[in-house]
Amino acid sequence: MRAVAKPWINLYDESTLLKFVKSEIDFFETNNVSAVITGFQFSTALSARSVGIPLIVTHLGSLVPPVFEKEMFACSEYFDNHFTQLIPEERMNRLGSKFFMAMPFQKRVFNKVAADLSIEPVQSLFELLMGDLTMVTDVPEILSIPEEEMAGWRPSSKKYYRSSTRLQYAGAIFARLFGNIPEDVRSFLDIDKPKIYVAMASGKKENLQRVYDTLSMVMPLCDLAIIHGGQGSVQTAISSGTPLIGFPIQPEQNFNLKQVERHGAGLCLSLRSLRKGRLRESINQILIDDRYKKSMRQLLTWQSSRDGALEVAKAVSELLNN
């Protein structure tokens, strides 16, 4: 499957999609599957629908309909250029919300397969992304949408979603270290000097070099994380109580970082600000002001109140029992 970086490009050709869907249908029926939980496997939206079993997803993170409908979606750093800087930030984010709600997407291939299977057509990319139950991998305190409001959300029209679509908070789900930390790693980190974690593996070489060049000057003073802002990286920083600086390279990362920034636990910066040499100033800002660390500890308290993986397991069990 191709990456979802260009939603106007077909993700599958018709024969490949049909092959995937029929294979999944055969597996579900042969094994008497009662529900499907999956990641970015769009074909399951059709196969589960054809068999008549619920589809559960966790891959949307916090980018769920209420965020767009309440115009909370923040995208200004991602679209940062000379033209967009002329547009007020609130208006820019409002336009971004409307764009992603009606994201251009070629439905023809999916709907041709849906017609072959005699099932209802697909209305939007969001419909493919969401399941009958979409688990929101965040907590209400950080996302700032009350739990009852999230659970009570219903599609206002069939333009973007199926009427059966429901939302439920799960909590953070991110990779956790298992086993013991190797001794050489432990001894390397066992020093009095402050340390920094840099994870910008998806960036361009020149942007990475600017980060490393800047850190070579201030490394003895640092105690923060510099990341692109994927939800896993953000939630890992929160679980460590580590303030962060983020340079988003796609809208979802920008939104995650903006949530942290809104709570005063980090900074979301554009790549253009990195190219203009503003990283050192931002690092010093976080190091000097202890409120960033205190705010991140508050996020840690909120995030730790739920076990995301356990909540998903409970939700699946309740769905099947009901």
Side-chain angles (χ1 to χ4, degrees):
M1 186 178 76
R2 298 171 185 165
V4 195
K6 297 180 179 179
W8 51 87
I9 296 177
N10 277 330
L11 303 176
Y12 305 89
D13 59 64
E14 184 180 351
S15 61
T16 300
L17 178 60
L18 185 60
K19 179 180 178 181
F20 281 9
V21 172
K22 286 187 173 180
S23 176
E24 290 163 1
I25 290 173
D26 180 64
F27 179 85
F28 298 157
E29 292 179 337
T30 300
N31 294 279
N32 195 28
V33 173
S34 301
V36 181
I37 181 167
T38 184
F40 279 102
Q41 183 65 21
F42 291 163
S43 55
T44 55
L46 299 182
S47 56
R49 187 176 304 183
S50 179
V51 177
I53 56 178
L55 174 65
I56 303 128
V57 302
T58 61
H59 56 243
L60 272 180
S62 303
L63 287 184
V64 290
V67 166
F68 295 96
E69 294 169 358
K70 296 166 76 69
E71 296 182 351
M72 295 170 57
F73 181 64
C75 59
S76 53
E77 280 71 21
Y78 173 71
F79 290 112
D80 182 44
N81 56 54
H82 292 295
F83 172 73
T84 58
Q85 284 201 333
L86 299 175
I87 305 174
E89 184 175 358
E90 287 187 4
R91 179 169 176 77
M92 187 67 205
N93 290 334
R94 187 159 54 248
L95 291 172
S97 292
K98 292 181 178 179
F99 171 77
F100 285 100
M101 283 281 288
M103 187 181 291
F105 177 69
Q106 295 181 0
K107 301 177 292 185
R108 182 182 58 83
V109 171
F110 285 88
N111 285 339
K112 287 185 72 173
V113 172
D116 289 341
L117 299 172
S118 299
I119 58 176
E120 61 184 288
V122 172
Q123 300 299 323
S124 68
L125 175 60
F126 252 108
E127 185 179 326
L128 287 173
L129 286 169
M130 298 179 70
D132 297 290
L133 176 61
T134 297
M135 302 298 297
V136 184
T137 53
D138 209 331
V139 293
E141 296 86 352
I142 294 179
L143 189 56
S144 300
I145 296 178
E147 185 153 20
E148 59 274 14
E149 184 176 339
M150 187 68 74
W153 177 86
R154 296 293 183 269
S156 57
S157 73
K158 294 183 178 180
K159 186 175 182 180
Y160 302 118
Y161 329 102
R162 299 180 75 195
S163 59
S164 61
T165 303
R166 298 293 181 267
L167 302 173
Q168 182 175 329
Y169 274 113
I173 298 178
F174 57 95
R176 300 174 187 270
L177 183 68
F178 58 90
N180 298 318
I181 299 175
E183 277 305 315
D184 57 340
V185 175
R186 188 185 297 276
S187 63
F188 175 75
L189 295 173
D190 188 19
I191 57 176
D192 293 332
K193 294 180 180 180
K195 296 167 283 290
I196 189 165
Y197 174 75
V198 181
M200 296 178 64
S202 303
K204 294 181 179 179
K205 181 179 178 180
E206 56 267 29
N207 291 332
L208 298 179
Q209 193 60 52
R210 287 188 181 94
V211 173
Y212 301 143
D213 289 344
T214 302
L215 292 177
S216 68
M217 297 182 287
V218 297
M219 181 66 80
L221 304 174
C222 293
D223 187 17
L224 55 85
I226 297 180
I227 57 179
H228 277 311
Q231 193 178 60
S233 297
V234 169
Q235 291 178 345
T236 300
I238 292 174
S239 73
S240 304
T242 305
L244 60 82
I245 293 174
F247 294 95
I249 58 174
Q250 47 101 333
E252 182 260 347
Q253 295 170 345
N254 192 98
F255 178 76
N256 297 332
L257 293 167
K258 275 296 188 181
Q259 302 312 301
V260 174
E261 184 178 70
R262 180 168 55 85
H263 288 288
L267 296 173
C268 177
L269 305 177
S270 68
L271 288 173
R272 193 152 70 96
S273 70
L274 173 61
R275 292 191 289 271
K276 288 190 173 183
R278 296 175 183 167
L279 176 58
R280 186 176 184 180
E281 175 187 344
S282 299
I283 290 174
N284 288 332
Q285 178 179 337
I286 288 183
L287 294 177
I288 292 170
D289 192 342
D290 191 51
R291 287 177 295 180
Y292 288 97
K293 187 79 172 178
K294 291 179 180 178
S295 296
M296 187 59 89
R297 288 179 187 142
Q298 179 61 70
L299 297 191
L300 168 59
T301 299
W302 288 334
Q303 181 173 285
S304 301
S305 66
R306 295 173 186 247
D307 183 330
L310 180 60
E311 292 300 317
V312 172
K314 288 180 179 177
V316 173
S317 178
E318 290 174 5
L319 182 66
L320 296 179
N321 289 335
N322 293 330

